[in-house]
Amino acid sequence: MPLENYALAARAEMTRKSAPIFEKLFTTTAWLSALLVMSFFSWMVFDIAANGFAKISWSFLTEAPLSAGRKGGISTIIVSTLLILAVTIVVAVPLAIAVAVWLAEFSRREGFAARAIGITLDVLAGIPSIVFGLFGNAFFCVFLGLGFSILSGGLTLACMVLPILIRATEAGLRAAPNEWRQGGAALGLSKATTLWQVLLPAAAPAITAGLLLGIGRALAETAALIFTSGYVDRMPASLNDSGRALAVHIYDLSMNVPGGDQAAYGSTLILIFLLIVINASAIFITNRILKARIQPK
Amino acid sequence: MFRLPADKVLQRALFVVALLTASLVGLIILFVLRETLPALQSPGITRFVTDESWHPLEGKFGMLPMLWGTLFSTTLAVLLATPLGIGMAVFCRYVAPPALVSTFRGLVTLLAGIPSVVFGFWGLTVLVPLIARVEPPGASLLAASLILAIMILPTVALMSEAALAAIPESYAQGAAALGLGRRATVLRVMLPAAKSGIIAAVILATARALGETMAVLMVSGNVVETPTSLFAPIRTLTANIALEMAYATKFHRASLFVSGLVLTAVIMLLAWLAYRAEHHIQKATGVLHAA
């Protein structure tokens, strides 16, 4: 393929008299596409920032929502969001570490079981969030009888973020040099001890980065939560209560509450702020790993 | 290899956990399937295409208008995002001043991380009123396509850029040796060489647009009608699920699960196609390296 391409390109180049104009046109088009997208993006960000800052205050963060969220704050929403995230993390992290340890340390790399599990993880990562919502509703809310609750929402999100966590942890473990495993074996340590004392601590930054990405994904999620954790905006008394996540709050304010725009702007700014902090820390930690990694000779 | 008994126990336990996690996918498919079963009974699954309208409470279950809504909005979004995304990748790789590159890439990555509900909210409060000034009601196929296009742009741009970055250095050297300018090098050598990767990017972006729910739900008006113009309101299959799950029962509920299942199947198929397309490029460049 490339040879004919070169020939065609060279011929076109030689026969074309007005090449400089086309060269300019090409550069301008590339600049324009970048500028167009960036100006659209900045328009969105500045609009949200300007309107959001006007709404945010200490009382907005610490008061419960009043009159369907038009007045008051988002304290109960923040609590519900944190509880949902907590359920997600408590369930997903141990599972993810276990699977990742098996994949990285115990499986035969191209073995049937490892490949089959890898494929199912890819499938899981590709399922659209609304379908996770359908599943969560049918399984956690109805079949297990958990109803619309923080528990149902958190468990649904746990299924969703599992592939992210597993892949990140697996990559962290695989990056640990083989000498460390051999060193453990030479000292007569069991594989379990080597894992616990050497490999998992070495993979800890990667696990943290993956965890942050997973939390970011869970925090951004709306579709999977509207019919698992529900809409109730009161302070949840337990994990069995329905609780409204921040993203669901934004959705409800803008779609179902006339005059809820300003509160929605405030909530959106908080959500974006949280996501930027989380993603930035994930990137920071990943860069630190790359720099700090001890290179075996 | 010699293994301590404790390690054997650990290995078995971890393997069981891994199997259980893998069976989660089976569980998801099983439960969605189970909920679709009532759809096989009266009034029957063919009603999704034979009924002329969607009034589930009055026993009309025609899903075609929403299928068109999904297909039109996705197609338009992909048509908008593909040239723009490739343009951004080319900009980032070959045109942008070096000082700008990492900032630009960072912003695109940031764009990729913005939640769909934020796109939906912004579209609803800013974009929809603007479109309504041209032609009411504003919440329309156009609004949905524009918001979807912005949402899938980072996928197209970042993956296309990765595909361009994977091209062996020798291609650029060959182009330079022939005295090709930047335009000819990019358009006639680089982009064709990265074709498979770019196709994979577009396919994955299509899958993302098909599965997107909240943003589209918030800006598209949600009227169940086959759209006749860009300014007509639409309802997509995903939005339909989100809107009606709360009160749907029996056949109605099952029909929502059927649409979810079909969407998942299509998205899986697209993901597989994208994987195949990417695999293709790896093979191709591998052969060229050897030669």
Side-chain angles (χ1 to χ4, degrees):
Chain A
M1 180 187 82
L3 274 184
E4 301 105 72
N5 276 342
Y6 283 137
L8 282 172
R11 199 172 62 193
E13 194 77 349
M14 277 183 277
T15 49
R16 186 157 287 151
K17 298 280 192 305
S18 49
I21 292 176
F22 284 97
E23 201 73 27
K24 260 252 153 17
L25 194 68
F26 168 76
T27 319
T28 319
T29 316
W31 268 101
L32 274 182
S33 61
L35 283 177
L36 183 69
V37 176
M38 279 308 123
S39 44
F40 205 87
F41 183 45
S42 340
W43 179 19
M44 190 170 111
V45 169
F46 282 114
D47 179 59
I48 290 171
N51 284 288
F53 270 120
K55 180 72 191 173
I56 290 176
S57 62
W58 183 244
S59 60
F60 183 68
L61 294 176
T62 53
E63 280 172 17
L66 294 170
S67 100
R70 289 183 198 92
K71 296 194 187 115
I74 52 170
S75 66
T76 58
I77 312 292
I78 292 178
V79 171
S80 298
T81 309
L82 292 179
L83 286 177
I84 293 172
L85 287 180
V87 172
T88 305
I89 293 168
V90 167
V91 174
V93 168
L95 265 179
I97 292 182
V99 179
V101 166
W102 186 78
L103 280 172
E105 303 295 325
F106 289 104
S107 70
R108 272 176 299 130
R109 198 154 187 182
E110 286 305 307
F112 173 75
R115 270 184 36 203
I117 289 173
I119 290 171
T120 56
L121 287 180
D122 290 342
V123 171
L124 203 56
I127 294 177
S129 56
I130 185 86
V131 176
F132 273 105
L134 285 178
F135 163 73
N137 182 275
F139 186 65
F140 297 120
C141 298
V142 178
F143 185 76
L144 295 185
L146 297 173
F148 281 72
S149 64
I150 288 175
L151 208 52
S152 301
L155 290 171
T156 308
L157 290 189
C159 302
M160 233 174 99
V161 299
L162 259 178
I164 303 174
L165 298 185
I166 293 175
R167 289 304 192 198
T169 311
E170 189 193 348
L173 286 170
R174 284 200 196 283
N178 242 339
E179 280 82 350
W180 296 1
R181 294 180 185 84
Q182 291 158 357
L187 287 170
L189 301 179
S190 71
K191 213 159 171 174
T193 314
T194 313
L195 257 171
W196 192 249
Q197 301 287 352
V198 181
L199 297 175
L200 281 177
I207 298 174
T208 315
L211 181 62
L212 288 170
L213 289 178
I215 292 177
R217 174 95 198 268
L219 202 57
E221 190 47 52
T222 318
L225 287 179
I226 45 179
F227 27 81
T228 53
S229 65
Y231 278 99
V232 176
D233 63 359
R234 284 190 303 275
M235 186 62 86
S238 78
L239 294 183
N240 293 319
D241 275 2
S242 166
R244 188 190 282 193
L246 198 50
V248 177
H249 189 53
I250 297 168
Y251 163 66
D252 196 55
L253 279 175
S254 50
M255 286 294 280
N256 306 330
V257 182
D261 277 8
Q262 290 314 305
Y265 267 118
S267 313
T268 305
L269 190 59
I270 302 271
L271 180 63
I272 292 185
F273 173 75
L274 287 175
L275 282 171
I276 289 177
V277 170
I278 287 169
N279 285 331
S281 343
I283 293 170
F284 177 74
I285 292 172
T286 315
N287 288 344
R288 282 290 288 271
I289 311 174
L290 292 179
K291 272 189 201 138
R293 166 118 11 255
I294 305 160
Q295 291 295 331
K297 296 231 169 80
Chain B
M1 202 181 103
F2 173 73
R3 283 248 161 98
L4 295 166
D7 286 345
K8 271 201 179 134
V9 174
L10 180 69
Q11 174 169 20
R12 297 238 169 92
L14 290 176
F15 181 60
V16 171
V17 176
L19 273 189
L20 283 178
T21 308
S23 56
L24 193 63
V25 171
L27 192 72
I28 291 175
I29 294 171
L30 196 78
F31 259 85
V32 175
L33 262 179
R34 197 181 92 125
E35 299 289 322
T36 61
L37 285 183
L40 296 178
Q41 296 156 6
S42 152
I45 205 160
T46 51
R47 295 284 292 275
F48 295 145
V49 281
T50 54
D51 279 6
E52 73 281 7
S53 66
W54 175 262
H55 292 289
L57 299 182
E58 291 147 36
K60 297 223 183 290
F61 293 100
M63 282 201 180
L64 283 182
M66 293 181 283
L67 183 66
W68 290 124
T70 294
L71 289 182
F72 286 153
S73 57
T74 301
T75 311
L76 271 175
V78 172
L79 286 179
L80 281 170
T82 302
L84 265 179
I86 296 175
M88 283 159 73
V90 167
F91 173 78
C92 201
R93 194 104 212 115
Y94 304 107
V95 178
L100 252 178
V101 171
S102 68
T103 317
F104 183 74
R105 200 182 288 132
L107 283 173
V108 177
T109 316
L110 193 69
L111 189 61
I114 289 188
S116 55
V117 71
V118 172
F119 282 106
F121 167 63
W122 185 79
L124 184 65
T125 45
V126 176
L127 208 57
V128 166
L130 275 182
I131 295 175
R133 247 191 259 171
V134 182
E135 192 170 327
S140 56
L141 173 61
L142 181 65
S145 309
L146 283 175
I147 289 292
L148 270 182
I150 277 281
M151 291 184 68
I152 62 176
L153 254 175
T155 310
V156 181
L158 293 171
M159 280 186 67
S160 302
E161 205 221 328
L164 288 170
I167 300 173
E169 190 65 19
S170 58
Y171 281 45
Q173 290 161 353
L178 282 169
L180 296 187
R182 185 157 61 180
R183 176 187 56 89
T185 308
V186 173
L187 292 187
R188 293 182 179 265
V189 179
M190 295 310 188
L191 285 179
K195 195 172 70 187
S196 307
I198 294 173
I199 290 174
V202 173
I203 296 176
L204 278 185
T206 312
R208 175 146 188 229
L210 276 179
E212 178 49 44
T213 310
M214 300 317 290
V216 178
L217 163 65
M218 292 165 84
V219 301
S220 66
N222 298 316
V223 180
V224 188
E225 262 175 12
T226 307
T228 47
S229 87
L230 274 177
F231 297 98
I234 57 163
R235 183 188 287 192
T236 62
L237 289 170
T238 48
N240 189 45
I241 298 174
L243 285 167
E244 302 194 348
M245 253 304 278
Y247 64 89
T249 51
K250 296 185 194 120
F251 188 80
H252 182 195
R253 182 178 156 95
S255 61
L256 299 181
F257 274 83
V258 169
S259 59
L261 193 69
V262 171
L263 269 174
T264 311
V266 173
I267 288 168
M268 289 299 145
L269 183 71
L270 288 174
W272 179 73
L273 284 176
Y275 172 80
R276 285 292 300 267
E278 258 192 316
H279 226 63
H280 176 74
I281 196 178
Q282 276 166 6
K283 263 192 229 152
T285 47
V287 169
L288 283 165
H289 262 310

